[in-house]
Short mmCIF file of all heavy atoms in Angstrom, two decimals:
data_model
loop_
_atom_site.label_atom_id
_atom_site.label_comp_id
_atom_site.label_asym_id
_atom_site.label_seq_id
_atom_site.Cartn_x
_atom_site.Cartn_y
_atom_site.Cartn_z
N MET A 1 76.84 98.65 110.50
CA MET A 1 77.30 98.46 111.80
C MET A 1 78.56 99.19 112.05
O MET A 1 79.29 99.55 111.18
CB MET A 1 77.44 96.91 112.06
CG MET A 1 78.63 96.32 111.85
SD MET A 1 78.71 94.60 112.16
CE MET A 1 79.74 94.13 110.82
N ARG A 2 78.85 99.37 113.36
CA ARG A 2 80.06 100.09 113.76
C ARG A 2 81.06 99.18 114.40
O ARG A 2 80.69 98.40 115.26
CB ARG A 2 79.77 101.28 114.64
CG ARG A 2 78.83 102.25 113.95
CD ARG A 2 78.40 103.34 114.91
NE ARG A 2 79.59 104.28 114.88
CZ ARG A 2 79.55 105.48 115.43
NH1 ARG A 2 78.43 105.84 115.94
NH2 ARG A 2 80.57 106.24 115.30
N ILE A 3 82.32 99.25 113.99
CA ILE A 3 83.42 98.59 114.55
C ILE A 3 84.54 99.54 114.82
O ILE A 3 84.47 100.73 114.44
CB ILE A 3 83.91 97.38 113.68
CG1 ILE A 3 84.37 97.90 112.35
CG2 ILE A 3 82.78 96.41 113.50
CD1 ILE A 3 85.13 96.87 111.47
N LEU A 4 85.64 99.10 115.49
CA LEU A 4 86.83 99.84 115.53
C LEU A 4 88.04 99.10 114.83
O LEU A 4 88.10 97.82 115.01
CB LEU A 4 87.36 100.00 116.97
CG LEU A 4 86.53 100.93 117.87
CD1 LEU A 4 86.98 100.99 119.27
CD2 LEU A 4 86.55 102.40 117.29
N LEU A 5 88.69 99.80 113.97
CA LEU A 5 89.84 99.21 113.23
C LEU A 5 90.99 100.03 113.57
O LEU A 5 91.10 101.19 113.28
CB LEU A 5 89.53 99.25 111.79
CG LEU A 5 90.62 98.74 110.83
CD1 LEU A 5 91.00 97.24 111.21
CD2 LEU A 5 90.37 98.81 109.41
N ASN A 6 91.97 99.34 114.28
CA ASN A 6 93.16 100.12 114.83
C ASN A 6 92.73 101.27 115.57
O ASN A 6 93.27 102.37 115.28
CB ASN A 6 94.07 100.40 113.57
CG ASN A 6 94.78 99.13 113.03
OD1 ASN A 6 94.66 98.08 113.67
ND2 ASN A 6 95.30 99.27 111.88
N GLU A 7 91.74 101.22 116.44
CA GLU A 7 91.29 102.22 117.26
C GLU A 7 90.49 103.36 116.63
O GLU A 7 90.28 104.41 117.28
CB GLU A 7 92.47 102.85 118.11
CG GLU A 7 93.08 101.83 118.94
CD GLU A 7 92.25 101.05 119.96
OE1 GLU A 7 91.38 101.65 120.53
OE2 GLU A 7 92.51 99.91 120.22
N GLU A 8 90.21 103.19 115.31
CA GLU A 8 89.53 104.21 114.56
C GLU A 8 88.03 103.69 114.32
O GLU A 8 87.95 102.54 113.81
CB GLU A 8 90.18 104.54 113.28
CG GLU A 8 91.56 105.23 113.39
CD GLU A 8 91.52 106.63 114.03
OE1 GLU A 8 90.44 107.30 113.76
OE2 GLU A 8 92.29 106.94 114.68
N PRO A 9 87.00 104.43 114.56
CA PRO A 9 85.67 103.93 114.27
C PRO A 9 85.47 103.81 112.82
O PRO A 9 86.01 104.60 111.99
CB PRO A 9 84.73 105.14 114.85
CG PRO A 9 85.66 106.13 115.35
CD PRO A 9 87.06 105.74 115.10
N LEU A 10 84.77 102.74 112.41
CA LEU A 10 84.48 102.47 111.03
C LEU A 10 83.05 101.93 110.89
O LEU A 10 82.68 101.15 111.68
CB LEU A 10 85.48 101.41 110.54
CG LEU A 10 85.42 100.99 109.10
CD1 LEU A 10 85.83 102.13 108.16
CD2 LEU A 10 86.22 99.71 108.82
N GLN A 11 82.35 102.44 109.94
CA GLN A 11 81.04 101.96 109.58
C GLN A 11 81.19 100.96 108.40
O GLN A 11 81.78 101.37 107.45
CB GLN A 11 80.15 103.16 109.09
CG GLN A 11 78.74 102.87 108.94
CD GLN A 11 77.93 102.75 110.27
OE1 GLN A 11 78.34 103.38 111.28
NE2 GLN A 11 76.92 101.95 110.32
N CYS A 12 80.56 99.81 108.63
CA CYS A 12 80.64 98.81 107.49
C CYS A 12 79.34 98.04 107.46
O CYS A 12 78.41 98.18 108.38
CB CYS A 12 81.79 97.84 107.80
SG CYS A 12 81.69 96.86 109.26
N ALA A 13 79.15 97.34 106.45
CA ALA A 13 77.91 96.56 106.20
C ALA A 13 77.76 95.34 107.22
O ALA A 13 78.77 94.86 107.75
CB ALA A 13 77.93 95.99 104.84
N ASP A 14 76.59 95.01 107.51
CA ASP A 14 76.28 93.84 108.31
C ASP A 14 76.67 92.53 107.53
O ASP A 14 76.74 92.55 106.27
CB ASP A 14 74.79 93.71 108.65
CG ASP A 14 74.30 94.89 109.57
OD1 ASP A 14 75.18 95.53 110.14
OD2 ASP A 14 73.04 95.11 109.62
N ASN A 15 76.87 91.51 108.26
CA ASN A 15 77.21 90.18 107.74
C ASN A 15 78.47 90.11 106.80
O ASN A 15 78.55 89.51 105.82
CB ASN A 15 76.03 89.62 106.90
CG ASN A 15 74.80 89.37 107.81
OD1 ASN A 15 74.97 88.86 108.92
ND2 ASN A 15 73.67 89.89 107.33
N LEU A 16 79.39 90.96 107.19
CA LEU A 16 80.66 91.15 106.48
C LEU A 16 81.73 90.25 107.12
O LEU A 16 81.89 90.28 108.39
CB LEU A 16 81.12 92.59 106.56
CG LEU A 16 82.12 93.06 105.53
CD1 LEU A 16 81.65 92.87 104.08
CD2 LEU A 16 82.46 94.52 105.78
N SER A 17 82.45 89.52 106.36
CA SER A 17 83.54 88.66 107.00
C SER A 17 84.77 89.59 107.14
O SER A 17 84.91 90.62 106.54
CB SER A 17 83.87 87.51 106.10
OG SER A 17 84.61 87.91 104.94
N ALA A 18 85.62 89.07 107.97
CA ALA A 18 86.90 89.83 108.16
C ALA A 18 87.64 90.03 106.81
O ALA A 18 88.22 90.99 106.52
CB ALA A 18 87.77 89.10 109.20
N SER A 19 87.65 88.90 106.07
CA SER A 19 88.34 88.90 104.74
C SER A 19 87.71 89.94 103.79
O SER A 19 88.41 90.67 103.13
CB SER A 19 88.26 87.48 104.12
OG SER A 19 88.98 87.48 102.95
N GLN A 20 86.45 89.97 103.79
CA GLN A 20 85.70 90.90 102.86
C GLN A 20 86.02 92.35 103.24
O GLN A 20 86.26 93.18 102.39
CB GLN A 20 84.26 90.71 102.92
CG GLN A 20 83.73 89.45 102.25
CD GLN A 20 82.24 89.08 102.60
OE1 GLN A 20 81.75 89.34 103.66
NE2 GLN A 20 81.53 88.67 101.54
N LEU A 21 86.03 92.65 104.52
CA LEU A 21 86.35 93.98 104.95
C LEU A 21 87.80 94.40 104.57
O LEU A 21 88.00 95.46 104.02
CB LEU A 21 86.23 94.12 106.51
CG LEU A 21 86.65 95.44 107.14
CD1 LEU A 21 85.74 96.52 106.68
CD2 LEU A 21 86.77 95.30 108.58
N LEU A 22 88.70 93.52 104.77
CA LEU A 22 90.06 93.84 104.49
C LEU A 22 90.31 94.04 103.00
O LEU A 22 91.09 94.86 102.55
CB LEU A 22 91.08 92.84 105.04
CG LEU A 22 91.03 92.72 106.63
CD1 LEU A 22 91.98 91.66 107.09
CD2 LEU A 22 91.35 94.12 107.21
N LEU A 23 89.59 93.19 102.23
CA LEU A 23 89.65 93.36 100.71
C LEU A 23 89.02 94.68 100.26
O LEU A 23 89.67 95.40 99.48
CB LEU A 23 88.91 92.26 99.98
CG LEU A 23 89.65 90.81 100.08
CD1 LEU A 23 88.74 89.74 99.54
CD2 LEU A 23 90.88 90.94 99.17
N GLN A 24 87.94 95.05 100.86
CA GLN A 24 87.30 96.38 100.54
C GLN A 24 88.23 97.51 100.88
O GLN A 24 88.23 98.51 100.18
CB GLN A 24 86.00 96.56 101.27
CG GLN A 24 84.83 95.72 100.79
CD GLN A 24 83.60 95.90 101.57
OE1 GLN A 24 83.50 96.76 102.45
NE2 GLN A 24 82.55 95.12 101.28
N LEU A 25 88.92 97.38 101.95
CA LEU A 25 89.84 98.48 102.36
C LEU A 25 91.23 98.36 101.82
O LEU A 25 92.12 99.19 102.12
CB LEU A 25 89.85 98.54 103.87
CG LEU A 25 88.57 98.83 104.62
CD1 LEU A 25 88.81 98.61 106.11
CD2 LEU A 25 87.98 100.18 104.26
N ASN A 26 91.45 97.36 101.00
CA ASN A 26 92.72 97.16 100.30
C ASN A 26 93.84 96.98 101.37
O ASN A 26 94.97 97.49 101.20
CB ASN A 26 93.14 98.21 99.36
CG ASN A 26 94.24 97.83 98.40
OD1 ASN A 26 94.35 96.71 98.02
ND2 ASN A 26 95.02 98.81 98.00
N LEU A 27 93.50 96.22 102.49
CA LEU A 27 94.44 96.00 103.52
C LEU A 27 94.81 94.49 103.67
O LEU A 27 95.49 94.10 104.55
CB LEU A 27 93.80 96.39 104.85
CG LEU A 27 93.57 97.96 104.97
CD1 LEU A 27 92.81 98.22 106.22
CD2 LEU A 27 94.87 98.78 104.88
N ASP A 28 94.33 93.64 102.79
CA ASP A 28 94.69 92.30 102.79
C ASP A 28 95.97 92.00 102.08
O ASP A 28 96.02 91.67 100.83
CB ASP A 28 93.55 91.47 102.11
CG ASP A 28 93.78 89.93 102.26
OD1 ASP A 28 94.59 89.55 103.00
OD2 ASP A 28 93.03 89.20 101.56
N LYS A 29 97.10 92.19 102.73
CA LYS A 29 98.41 92.09 102.16
C LYS A 29 99.23 90.98 102.88
O LYS A 29 99.00 90.61 104.02
CB LYS A 29 99.15 93.33 102.31
CG LYS A 29 98.40 94.55 101.61
CD LYS A 29 99.14 95.79 101.76
CE LYS A 29 98.36 96.74 100.93
NZ LYS A 29 98.23 98.00 101.10
N PRO A 30 100.14 90.38 102.15
CA PRO A 30 101.05 89.36 102.72
C PRO A 30 101.66 89.88 104.04
O PRO A 30 102.04 91.01 104.07
CB PRO A 30 102.08 89.06 101.68
CG PRO A 30 101.46 89.57 100.47
CD PRO A 30 100.58 90.67 100.72
N GLY A 31 101.84 89.02 105.05
CA GLY A 31 102.46 89.37 106.21
C GLY A 31 101.52 90.16 107.13
O GLY A 31 101.99 90.65 108.22
N THR A 32 100.32 90.21 106.86
CA THR A 32 99.31 90.92 107.79
C THR A 32 98.76 89.99 108.83
O THR A 32 98.44 88.88 108.41
CB THR A 32 98.16 91.54 106.94
OG1 THR A 32 98.70 92.45 105.93
CG2 THR A 32 97.16 92.31 107.74
N ALA A 33 98.67 90.42 110.00
CA ALA A 33 98.03 89.67 111.06
C ALA A 33 96.77 90.47 111.58
O ALA A 33 96.78 91.61 111.49
CB ALA A 33 98.95 89.41 112.27
N LEU A 34 95.81 89.75 111.99
CA LEU A 34 94.56 90.26 112.54
C LEU A 34 94.18 89.80 113.87
O LEU A 34 94.13 88.59 114.12
CB LEU A 34 93.49 90.10 111.47
CG LEU A 34 92.02 90.61 111.81
CD1 LEU A 34 92.05 92.16 111.91
CD2 LEU A 34 91.05 90.10 110.80
N ALA A 35 93.83 90.73 114.83
CA ALA A 35 93.31 90.34 116.05
C ALA A 35 91.87 90.89 116.14
O ALA A 35 91.64 92.07 115.73
CB ALA A 35 94.11 90.86 117.21
N VAL A 36 90.99 90.09 116.62
CA VAL A 36 89.62 90.52 116.76
C VAL A 36 89.24 90.38 118.26
O VAL A 36 89.37 89.23 118.86
CB VAL A 36 88.53 89.66 115.90
CG1 VAL A 36 87.14 90.16 116.19
CG2 VAL A 36 88.91 89.77 114.48
N ASN A 37 88.91 91.52 118.83
CA ASN A 37 88.65 91.56 120.37
C ASN A 37 89.73 90.91 121.13
O ASN A 37 89.60 90.00 121.99
CB ASN A 37 87.29 90.87 120.58
CG ASN A 37 86.16 91.64 119.91
OD1 ASN A 37 86.12 92.79 119.80
ND2 ASN A 37 85.26 90.83 119.39
N GLN A 38 91.02 91.26 120.77
CA GLN A 38 92.20 90.83 121.43
C GLN A 38 92.60 89.40 121.29
O GLN A 38 93.37 88.90 122.06
CB GLN A 38 92.14 91.24 122.97
CG GLN A 38 92.04 92.72 123.23
CD GLN A 38 91.92 93.13 124.59
OE1 GLN A 38 91.83 92.25 125.48
NE2 GLN A 38 92.09 94.37 124.92
N THR A 39 91.98 88.76 120.33
CA THR A 39 92.39 87.35 120.03
C THR A 39 92.90 87.26 118.54
O THR A 39 92.22 87.71 117.63
CB THR A 39 91.22 86.44 120.31
OG1 THR A 39 90.76 86.62 121.59
CG2 THR A 39 91.54 85.02 119.92
N ILE A 40 94.08 86.74 118.33
CA ILE A 40 94.59 86.56 116.87
C ILE A 40 93.63 85.64 116.17
O ILE A 40 93.30 84.62 116.61
CB ILE A 40 96.00 86.03 116.99
CG1 ILE A 40 96.96 87.01 117.59
CG2 ILE A 40 96.48 85.69 115.53
CD1 ILE A 40 97.24 88.22 116.77
N LEU A 41 93.23 86.05 114.98
CA LEU A 41 92.42 85.31 114.14
C LEU A 41 93.27 84.81 112.95
O LEU A 41 93.77 85.54 112.14
CB LEU A 41 91.25 86.24 113.50
CG LEU A 41 90.22 85.48 112.74
CD1 LEU A 41 89.40 84.46 113.59
CD2 LEU A 41 89.37 86.47 112.10
N PRO A 42 93.50 83.46 112.92
CA PRO A 42 94.42 82.81 111.84
C PRO A 42 93.71 83.24 110.44
O PRO A 42 92.58 83.26 110.27
CB PRO A 42 94.26 81.36 112.06
CG PRO A 42 93.84 81.23 113.55
CD PRO A 42 93.00 82.42 113.85
N ARG A 43 94.63 83.54 109.52
CA ARG A 43 94.20 83.96 108.27
C ARG A 43 93.24 83.04 107.55
O ARG A 43 92.41 83.48 106.84
CB ARG A 43 95.57 84.09 107.32
CG ARG A 43 95.21 84.67 105.96
CD ARG A 43 96.51 84.93 105.16
NE ARG A 43 97.14 86.15 105.51
CZ ARG A 43 96.92 87.36 104.87
NH1 ARG A 43 96.05 87.35 103.83
NH2 ARG A 43 97.54 88.36 105.26
N GLU A 44 93.44 81.66 107.74
CA GLU A 44 92.47 80.78 107.15
C GLU A 44 91.04 80.88 107.64
O GLU A 44 90.14 80.45 107.04
CB GLU A 44 92.93 79.30 107.25
CG GLU A 44 93.04 78.86 108.64
CD GLU A 44 94.47 79.06 109.26
OE1 GLU A 44 95.28 79.80 108.66
OE2 GLU A 44 94.71 78.57 110.37
N ARG A 45 90.86 81.55 108.72
CA ARG A 45 89.49 81.81 109.27
C ARG A 45 88.94 83.09 108.95
O ARG A 45 87.72 83.43 109.15
CB ARG A 45 89.59 81.66 110.87
CG ARG A 45 89.78 80.19 111.26
CD ARG A 45 89.71 79.91 112.69
NE ARG A 45 88.59 80.63 113.36
CZ ARG A 45 88.64 80.98 114.64
NH1 ARG A 45 89.69 80.83 115.38
NH2 ARG A 45 87.61 81.57 115.16
N TRP A 46 89.72 84.02 108.39
CA TRP A 46 89.20 85.33 108.01
C TRP A 46 87.93 85.24 107.13
O TRP A 46 87.07 86.05 107.31
CB TRP A 46 90.27 86.19 107.20
CG TRP A 46 91.42 86.54 108.15
CD1 TRP A 46 91.71 86.28 109.41
CD2 TRP A 46 92.42 87.47 107.69
NE1 TRP A 46 92.85 86.81 109.78
CE2 TRP A 46 93.35 87.51 108.78
CE3 TRP A 46 92.74 88.08 106.45
CZ2 TRP A 46 94.60 88.42 108.69
CZ3 TRP A 46 93.94 88.84 106.45
CH2 TRP A 46 94.81 88.98 107.45
N PRO A 47 87.86 84.40 106.06
CA PRO A 47 86.68 84.44 105.23
C PRO A 47 85.45 83.86 105.95
O PRO A 47 84.35 84.14 105.56
CB PRO A 47 87.08 83.41 104.10
CG PRO A 47 88.57 83.32 104.10
CD PRO A 47 88.90 83.53 105.54
N HIS A 48 85.64 83.19 107.07
CA HIS A 48 84.56 82.55 107.74
C HIS A 48 84.09 83.38 108.98
O HIS A 48 83.08 83.07 109.58
CB HIS A 48 84.85 81.11 108.14
CG HIS A 48 85.34 80.30 107.03
ND1 HIS A 48 84.61 79.98 106.00
CD2 HIS A 48 86.57 79.98 106.74
CE1 HIS A 48 85.35 79.28 105.13
NE2 HIS A 48 86.55 79.27 105.54
N HIS A 49 84.89 84.28 109.42
CA HIS A 49 84.65 85.05 110.63
C HIS A 49 83.73 86.29 110.30
O HIS A 49 84.22 87.29 109.67
CB HIS A 49 85.92 85.54 111.37
CG HIS A 49 85.60 86.28 112.65
ND1 HIS A 49 85.55 85.55 113.84
CD2 HIS A 49 85.50 87.50 112.85
CE1 HIS A 49 85.27 86.40 114.77
NE2 HIS A 49 85.19 87.65 114.20
N ILE A 50 82.51 86.24 110.71
CA ILE A 50 81.60 87.31 110.48
C ILE A 50 81.72 88.38 111.58
O ILE A 50 81.67 88.09 112.78
CB ILE A 50 80.06 86.86 110.31
CG1 ILE A 50 79.95 85.75 109.31
CG2 ILE A 50 79.20 87.97 110.06
CD1 ILE A 50 80.36 86.15 107.85
N LEU A 51 81.97 89.57 111.17
CA LEU A 51 82.15 90.64 112.13
C LEU A 51 80.83 91.00 112.83
O LEU A 51 79.78 90.87 112.15
CB LEU A 51 82.77 91.93 111.48
CG LEU A 51 84.09 91.64 110.81
CD1 LEU A 51 84.53 92.86 109.96
CD2 LEU A 51 85.15 91.28 111.82
N GLN A 52 80.92 91.46 114.07
CA GLN A 52 79.81 91.79 114.84
C GLN A 52 79.90 93.29 115.27
O GLN A 52 80.93 93.81 115.38
CB GLN A 52 79.79 90.96 116.13
CG GLN A 52 79.71 89.44 115.83
CD GLN A 52 78.46 89.03 115.13
OE1 GLN A 52 77.36 89.48 115.48
NE2 GLN A 52 78.60 88.13 114.18
N GLU A 53 78.72 93.92 115.57
CA GLU A 53 78.69 95.26 116.00
C GLU A 53 79.54 95.42 117.16
O GLU A 53 79.59 94.62 118.11
CB GLU A 53 77.17 95.56 116.42
CG GLU A 53 76.99 96.95 117.07
CD GLU A 53 76.92 98.08 115.98
OE1 GLU A 53 76.53 97.81 114.85
OE2 GLU A 53 77.22 99.21 116.38
N GLY A 54 80.39 96.40 117.17
CA GLY A 54 81.26 96.73 118.26
C GLY A 54 82.57 95.97 118.37
O GLY A 54 83.39 96.17 119.32
N ASP A 55 82.87 95.16 117.41
CA ASP A 55 84.11 94.35 117.38
C ASP A 55 85.32 95.40 117.32
O ASP A 55 85.27 96.46 116.68
CB ASP A 55 84.26 93.49 116.15
CG ASP A 55 83.59 92.11 116.35
OD1 ASP A 55 83.16 91.78 117.52
OD2 ASP A 55 83.47 91.38 115.35
N HIS A 56 86.34 94.99 117.93
CA HIS A 56 87.61 95.77 117.97
C HIS A 56 88.61 94.99 117.11
O HIS A 56 89.03 93.85 117.52
CB HIS A 56 88.20 95.94 119.36
CG HIS A 56 87.34 96.90 120.16
ND1 HIS A 56 87.91 97.87 120.88
CD2 HIS A 56 85.99 96.93 120.38
CE1 HIS A 56 86.87 98.47 121.52
NE2 HIS A 56 85.76 98.00 121.15
N LEU A 57 89.08 95.47 116.10
CA LEU A 57 90.01 94.86 115.10
C LEU A 57 91.34 95.59 115.23
O LEU A 57 91.37 96.78 115.21
CB LEU A 57 89.58 94.80 113.71
CG LEU A 57 88.51 93.78 113.26
CD1 LEU A 57 87.13 94.10 113.94
CD2 LEU A 57 88.36 93.84 111.83
N LEU A 58 92.31 94.77 115.35
CA LEU A 58 93.77 95.30 115.27
C LEU A 58 94.44 94.62 114.18
O LEU A 58 94.66 93.38 114.14
CB LEU A 58 94.43 95.12 116.58
CG LEU A 58 95.82 95.59 116.62
CD1 LEU A 58 95.98 97.09 116.43
CD2 LEU A 58 96.49 95.20 118.02
N LEU A 59 94.87 95.43 113.18
CA LEU A 59 95.58 94.94 111.97
C LEU A 59 97.00 95.37 112.08
O LEU A 59 97.27 96.60 112.25
CB LEU A 59 94.86 95.47 110.75
CG LEU A 59 95.37 94.92 109.44
CD1 LEU A 59 94.91 93.43 109.21
CD2 LEU A 59 94.70 95.78 108.30
N PHE A 60 97.91 94.40 111.82
CA PHE A 60 99.31 94.85 111.95
C PHE A 60 100.20 93.93 110.96
O PHE A 60 99.77 92.79 110.55
CB PHE A 60 99.92 94.78 113.34
CG PHE A 60 99.64 93.47 114.12
CD1 PHE A 60 100.55 92.55 114.13
CD2 PHE A 60 98.38 93.30 114.69
CE1 PHE A 60 100.39 91.34 114.77
CE2 PHE A 60 98.14 92.09 115.42
CZ PHE A 60 99.10 91.14 115.45
N GLN A 61 101.26 94.46 110.54
CA GLN A 61 102.20 93.79 109.70
C GLN A 61 103.21 92.91 110.68
O GLN A 61 103.84 93.52 111.52
CB GLN A 61 103.09 94.72 108.93
CG GLN A 61 102.31 95.49 107.82
CD GLN A 61 101.86 94.53 106.76
OE1 GLN A 61 100.60 94.36 106.54
NE2 GLN A 61 102.72 93.79 106.08
N VAL A 62 103.38 91.68 110.27
CA VAL A 62 104.24 90.82 110.96
C VAL A 62 105.63 91.08 110.39
O VAL A 62 105.89 91.11 109.21
CB VAL A 62 103.84 89.41 110.72
CG1 VAL A 62 104.86 88.43 111.42
CG2 VAL A 62 102.49 89.09 111.37
N ILE A 63 106.58 91.26 111.31
CA ILE A 63 107.98 91.53 110.86
C ILE A 63 108.93 90.47 111.48
O ILE A 63 108.87 90.26 112.65
CB ILE A 63 108.40 92.99 111.43
CG1 ILE A 63 107.47 94.01 110.80
CG2 ILE A 63 109.92 93.18 111.06
CD1 ILE A 63 107.74 95.39 111.32
N ALA A 64 109.62 89.81 110.59
CA ALA A 64 110.53 88.79 111.09
C ALA A 64 111.89 89.44 111.32
O ALA A 64 112.38 90.28 110.58
CB ALA A 64 110.66 87.66 110.04
N GLY A 65 112.50 88.98 112.38
CA GLY A 65 113.88 89.47 112.62
C GLY A 65 114.71 88.33 112.98
O GLY A 65 114.36 87.21 113.24
N GLY A 66 116.00 88.68 113.20
CA GLY A 66 116.95 87.55 113.61
C GLY A 66 117.94 88.10 114.53
O GLY A 66 118.17 89.08 114.99
#
């Protein structure tokens, strides 16, 4: 299936969870946040969220400041 990851087209397997995709791409790092179709997906839901054809994923590093 095809999705967009950070505005780049990506071909991936069907029935893949968000967590599985990020592990395969070595992008599952501390401080990482993920939005799917413009909605933040809490990290605890990543293993249960099955990606769908055409999903738009935005992956970014959370930076704390003061």
Side-chain angles (χ1 to χ4, degrees):
M1 90 179 143
R2 298 179 81 167
I3 61 171
L4 285 177
L5 176 61
N6 292 343
E7 302 301 324
E8 296 292 327
L10 181 68
Q11 188 77 28
C12 63
D14 292 342
N15 299 315
L16 194 64
S17 73
S19 183
Q20 289 170 320
L21 174 67
L22 296 179
L23 284 171
Q24 285 180 5
L25 298 174
N26 197 29
L27 295 173
D28 185 15
K29 299 184 175 150
T32 300
L34 176 66
V36 179
N37 301 322
Q38 300 182 348
T39 301
I40 296 292
L41 186 64
R43 185 176 278 269
E44 61 270 8
R45 291 187 42 211
W46 292 7
H48 310 289
H49 183 87
I50 303 301
L51 300 173
Q52 303 295 315
E53 177 79 27
D55 275 351
H56 290 229
L57 281 67
L58 179 61
L59 187 67
F60 52 96
Q61 288 295 119
V62 176
I63 299 173

